[in-house]
Amino acid sequence: MQGVGFRPFVYALATALDLSGLVGNDVHGVFVEVEGSATRVEDFLTALRRDAPPLAVVERVRTRQLALTGARGFAIAASTVGGERETLVSADSTTCAGCLAELADPADRRFGYPFINCTNCGPRFTIVRDVPYDRPFTTMADFPMCADCAAEYHDPADRRFHAQPTCCPACGPRLRLLDDRGNPVPVDDPVRAAAQRLRAGKILAVKGLGGYHLAVDAGNEAATGRLRSRKHREDKPFAVMVSTVDDARALCRVDELAATLLTGRRRPIVLLPRVGDASVAGSVAPGNRQLGVMLGYTPLHHLLLAALGGPIVLTSGNISDEPIAYRDADAVDRLAGIADGFLTHDRAIHIRTDDSVVRPFDGRESVLRRSRGYVPEPISLELPFPRPVLACGAELKNTFCLAKGRRAFLSEHIGDLENFQTLRAFTEGITHFRRLFDINPLVVAHDLHPEYLSTKYAHDLAGVELVGVQHHHAHIASCLADNGVAGSVIGVAFDGTGYGSDGTIWGGEFLLADLAGFERVAHLDPVPMPGGAAAIRAPWRMAAAHLNAAYADAPPAGLAVLARNESSWQPVSAMARRSVNSPLTSSAGRLFDAVAAILGIRDSINYEGQAAVELEQAADPGETGSYPVEITDEWPIRLSGAALVRAVVADLGRAVPVPVIAARFHNAVADAVTLVCATIRERTGVSVVALSGGVWQNLLLTSRTMISLRDKGFTVLTHHRVPCNDGGISLGQAAVAGALDRAH
Ligand SMILES: [Zn+2]
Ligand SMILES: [Zn+2]
Ligand SMILES: [Zn+2]
C-alpha cells in the first residue's frame, strides 16, 4: 500500500543490519535489493514480515538471487510510474499511540489539535479523490503544508515521512462550532463549548471520518429520547462511544477478543452483552441485551470524550433510513431540524463511509456491516479471477464488489438502493473503485430479481458478459469465499427475501452448492405473503398466513394476535387464500415474523428485521425445550413451518411464558436445520454446512444450530470477514462469476 511507511521501515531495518542496497515502489508493490552476510539477509527477511508498520499489509514476499554489486549504503529509490497499478489505498485508521501522546503533550506543536495524524494513522479512503495516493489527489489538497510539516514529510527518519494527510494548527483544517441553523458561533475552544452543550442535554451533529454523527450525552435520558423522536428512530438501538476498554467494561461484558476488536486500528462498533447496571439512558437500546460500543477513533473524538468525561451516544447523522450526511451544506440542510448545533470542520469527506459493525462470535470477529476502517482493503481469495469482475450486489444493505487476480474489493456499505442518494453513491462508487484499483470489468454479476436497481444497472452496461446469480446461491458462495472454501457444501440460506429461480420468493433454503452452481434440495413450505411488501412491514399478516397454513379450517379461537388485528384479519386472510397480491414465500425470516406476532411481541415494525430481533431478545437462553419437527420424504425435502406454528400456539394455550416459547421455537429451528442437513448428508455424503443469510444475525439461533450440527459431526462454516446479511451478497456474486469463468 502507499503511504504506510513501508519504505522508511525497510530503510531503517536494512541500515540497522548493515545491509547495502535500495528499496522502491513499483506498480506491483515494493521491491528491495539487499547485499550483505547471509545471516543478516535472513534476519532482514524475518523482520520484514514480523515488524512491518501497522498499516502495511504484507501479502507475500518473493525472493530471488541477484549478482553482487559491491555498492555501499542503502537508499530509497524514486517511485516508478506507468503500467497496471497494483498498489492499494489503505482504510482509515484510528489515531495511533504516538499521535495520542503528542495530542496530550502541552509542549508539542500539535497539542490539542483535532486533525493530528501520521504515517501510522489517520484518514485515508474517505479523503482519497484519485490515485496515486498523493496529497493533491486527496481532500487535503486545499491545505498546503507549512515549512515544519514539509520538513517532516520529506525526512525518511520521521514518523510523518510521506504521510499525505499530515498537517498542524498552522496549515491544516480547523474546527468550527455552528448553531442549529448552521451559523458560526464564535467560541475560543469549540470542543469545550460542544462538551458544555452535550452536558446541557443538547443534540450535536459532529463531523467524523466518513460522515456526520448525531451526538448526545449517553447518560441523559431526556436528550436520548429527544434524539429518537427528532430522528424518527423509534426503537433501533443507538451505539455508544467511550474512551477506553475500562469504560466499555462499565457498560458491557468485554472478554479478551472483544477488547482486541475494540482497541484495534479499525475501531468498529462492537456488539456486546450489556451488564445489568450499565450507566446509560434506557432509551439507548430499549429491550436489548446487547449494546453497540466503540472507542474514539479520531483526535476530535478523544478531545470531546475527555472534555465531556463520559460516554456519548453517537449515531449516524440522518433521518431514519436515509444515508448518513457527509457534505457540509447538505448536513446543515438535512440535520437542521434534529441538531441543536454542529461541531464541524473544513476537511472535506470524499466518500461517505458508515461505521462498521462487528461482534465476537465463535472465537473470532464476525462482521455485520463492513465499512469504515475495513474498506477498501481487499478480501484475498484462494482462486484467481480469470477476467476482472464487477458484482452489483443486492437491493438492501447494498455493497458492490470489483475483483481481479486474487483480490476482491468490496465497497463501503452503500445502503438501500431504493433511495436516490444511495443509488447515486452506488453508481459513483463503482466509477471511483474502477479508477482507484484500475479494474475494467469484463464480467458483471447481478441478482436475478428484475426490479433490483443493481440488476437494472448491470443490464444497462454494454460490452460485458452478464452473469445472473440466484440470491441464496450468492449468500452461500459468499460464505465459501469468506472461509476460503470452494468444495461442495450444504448451504443453509435463511433470510427475509430473495428472488428464487422459480420466480417465487425464497428465504428458507437448503442448497447443495459449490461456487459454480447449486441444487435446491430442501426448503421451508411456502406460504402466501398477503399484500406482498406490506406483509414485511406488518408481521401480523405473516401470522395470519402461517396460521391459515397450520390450521386447515380455522386457527383456535381466542388468539390474541387475531383479536388485536380483528378488523383486517378476514380481508387479509381472504386475500392470501385467493392468491391476490400474495406471492408465495419460503422465507425463514417471515416465519420468525409470524411467531413474533403470534406471541404478541410485535405486529408491525419500525426497522428491518425488528420482529425477529425482538423475538430473539425475548427468548429465555436457559430454556432447552424444543418442538417436534416435520419434514417430507420427497426430494426436494419440504420442512413444515405449520408444525412449528401449531406447537407455538399449543404452548400459548397452556399459558407457557412467552420467553420459554420463544426459546423453544429457536431450539426447534436449530433442530430442524440439523435434521434436514442430516437427511441431505445421508443422500449425498456432504458433511460441510455453510450458514448464510440475514437470519443468521440471530446469535441465539446461530449458536444453537452450530452446537446441534457439530454434535452430529458436521463441519460448520459461518461468516467472519463479510456480513451474512445482504451486505455480503456482492462477494458471493463475484465468487460465482469467477468460478464460472474458470470453468470455461
Ligand atoms: Zn499517528
Ligand atoms: Zn503544518
Ligand atoms: Zn438475502
Side-chain angles (χ1 to χ4, degrees), residues 316-336:
S316 42
N318 56 9
I319 300 176
S320 60
D321 286 335
E322 286 181 359
I324 176 171
Y326 71 108
R327 292 200 164 107
D328 298 332
D330 178 57
V332 169
D333 273 357
R334 282 169 55 201
L335 304 180

Side-chain angles (χ1 to χ4, degrees), residues 296-581:
Y297 55 85
T298 69
L300 178 57
H301 293 152
H302 292 287
L303 295 169
L304 192 59
L305 284 162
L308 183 67
I312 307 175
V313 164
L314 216 54
T315 182
S316 42
N318 56 9
I319 300 176
S320 60
D321 286 335
E322 286 181 359
I324 176 171
Y326 71 108
R327 292 200 164 107
D328 298 332
D330 178 57
V332 169
D333 273 357
R334 282 169 55 201
L335 304 180
I338 307 177
D340 300 311
F342 293 78
L343 184 59
T344 182
H345 58 76
D346 50 358
R347 185 182 70 207
I349 298 168
H350 186 64
I351 296 288
R352 162 167 61 81
T353 313
D354 294 71
D355 289 320
S356 295
V357 182
V358 309
R359 69 180 172 209
F361 179 72
D362 202 31
R364 61 185 183 177
E365 175 181 48
S366 166
V367 174
L368 298 174
R369 182 165 73 200
R370 188 178 183 276
S371 215
R372 195 241 332 129
Y374 294 76
V375 174
E377 238 170 62
I379 307 273
S380 8
L381 299 175
E382 298 292 299
L383 298 168
F385 292 91
R387 290 183 290 169
V389 172
L390 164 68
C392 298
E395 177 88 343
L396 300 179
K397 295 187 170 69
N398 177 274
T399 62
F400 60 82
C401 174
L402 274 155
K404 74 170 176 183
R406 282 194 167 76
R407 293 194 182 118
F409 296 90
L410 253 76
S411 74
E412 74 279 12
H413 166 81
I414 302 276
D416 300 348
L417 289 186
E418 60 213 4
N419 181 301
F420 172 72
Q421 289 192 54
T422 41
L423 184 61
R424 210 175 68 180
F426 171 79
T427 55
E428 291 176 357
I430 291 174
T431 309
H432 188 56
F433 266 61
R434 285 178 59 160
R435 204 165 52 222
L436 283 191
F437 305 112
D438 199 19
I439 299 178
N440 277 309
L442 296 174
V443 179
V444 175
H446 61 83
D447 198 275
L448 294 182
H449 200 305
E451 294 305 315
Y452 277 10
L453 293 173
S454 52
T455 305
K456 291 182 172 171
Y457 175 89
H459 281 290
D460 286 345
L461 296 175
V464 295
E465 185 180 318
L466 292 181
V467 180
V469 182
Q470 199 278 323
H471 188 90
H472 302 95
H473 183 213
H475 270 306
I476 300 306
S478 173
C479 186
L480 294 180
D482 195 339
N483 287 281
V485 172
S488 275
V489 294
I490 301 169
V492 186
F494 276 12
D495 68 356
T497 302
Y499 197 84
S501 311
D502 59 1
T504 68
I505 300 171
W506 292 8
E509 311 308 312
F510 295 75
L511 309 180
L512 190 64
D514 58 17
L515 290 178
F518 72 94
E519 181 192 352
R520 188 191 198 199
V521 289
H523 58 86
L524 257 175
D525 244 349
V527 297
M529 258 172 85
I536 299 175
R537 293 188 295 272
W540 74 264
R541 286 173 176 248
M542 288 315 301
H546 271 286
L547 285 167
N548 287 336
Y551 299 92
D553 18 343
L559 271 178
V561 63
L562 207 156
R564 283 196 309 275
N565 300 284
E566 200 176 3
S567 58
S568 320
W569 193 274
Q570 282 316 326
V572 162
S573 296
M575 182 157 76
R577 251 192 321 272
R578 285 193 223 108
S579 308
V580 177
N581 189 19

Side-chain angles (χ1 to χ4, degrees), residues 94-100 116-122 159-160:
T94 187
T95 313
C96 73
C99 286
L100 281 181
I116 187 169
N117 68 80
C118 73
T119 310
N120 298 334
C121 75
R159 204 173 85 242
R160 295 191 168 86

Side-chain angles (χ1 to χ4, degrees), residues 77-96:
S79 297
T80 58
V81 288
E84 204 188 357
R85 278 191 295 274
E86 271 194 30
T87 44
L88 311 174
V89 175
S90 308
D92 302 86
S93 177
T94 187
T95 313
C96 73

